[in-house]
Amino acid sequence: MGAAPRVRPHEVELLETALRALLINVPRSAGVHEALLHVDIVTEQGAEPGEPVEVVELVVTDEGAGFPPEALAAGVAAMRSLAVHQRLLAEHGGALRVLSVPGLTQVTLTLPIAPAPAAAERPPGAREGRVRGVRRRGARAQSARSTSGRAQSGRARSGQEEASA
């Protein structure tokens, strides 16, 4: 059994912060109070030709006003609230992409997934699997995956209650 890829705790925090900022800005900027959140693990082309890289992908879609054409023309750097998160994701090999037209905006966050340490790289005495008395977090998420390997989509309410969660 091969080592499963994983997102490191500081990268989870990075994604969570960027996602929270997006969901807070949906009602402020788009004028709507709902957004669709799709979370997936996808394979992208790595730095070397023929080198696939698994990335976690979060896509937030809303049906609001969209970004003004002049802001889109200037790029994400002109969108202050997104530019900070784009820079932080890029520092970790990730990306933030925006697709926006009136009535539809998609912001995609991606971040490479690090492979889990191999058995030889684990500290002495460390074992793979369950720790006594502690339930593995990934067990529930894996059972929610469809047979195609894609994670489930869901609606996320943008606003105070989700942003403060």
Side-chain angles (χ1 to χ4, degrees):
M1 180 177 196
R6 64 188 178 128
V7 180
R8 295 177 189 110
H10 70 280
E11 293 170 334
V12 170
E13 187 176 322
L14 181 68
L15 286 169
E16 180 184 16
T17 303
L19 180 60
R20 185 174 297 178
L22 286 174
L23 292 176
I24 287 171
N25 281 306
V26 166
R28 289 182 189 163
S29 303
V32 295
H33 295 283
E34 257 187 16
L36 180 67
L37 170 62
H38 181 85
V39 178
D40 207 350
I41 306 257
V42 297
T43 302
E44 291 185 349
Q45 176 60 43
E48 299 293 321
E51 175 193 349
V53 175
E54 283 192 307
V55 299
V56 63
E57 178 182 75
L58 297 139
V59 181
V60 176
T61 305
D62 70 63
E63 296 176 345
F67 287 98
E70 57 276 4
L72 289 172
V76 175
M79 303 171 206
R80 281 191 246 160
S81 63
L82 296 180
V84 170
H85 299 291
Q86 181 186 41
R87 181 182 53 77
L88 291 171
L89 287 166
E91 287 174 4
H92 290 86
L96 185 150
R97 295 184 296 273
V98 177
L99 169 70
S100 185
V101 295
L104 176 71
T105 297
Q106 277 190 334
V107 180
T108 303
L109 309 171
T110 59
L111 198 61
I113 299 174
E121 298 171 0
R122 287 192 193 108
R127 295 185 306 167
E128 189 174 324
R130 251 181 107 143
V131 176
R132 197 179 308 254
V134 177
R135 186 174 179 184
R136 283 182 72 180
R137 293 183 126 196
R140 182 177 294 164
Q142 282 221 319
S143 66
R145 297 174 80 66
S146 67
T147 55
S148 69
R150 293 208 168 255
Q152 301 297 317
S153 296
R155 279 218 175 269
R157 274 222 174 277
S158 56
Q160 293 296 79
E161 69 274 1
E162 287 78 15
S164 62

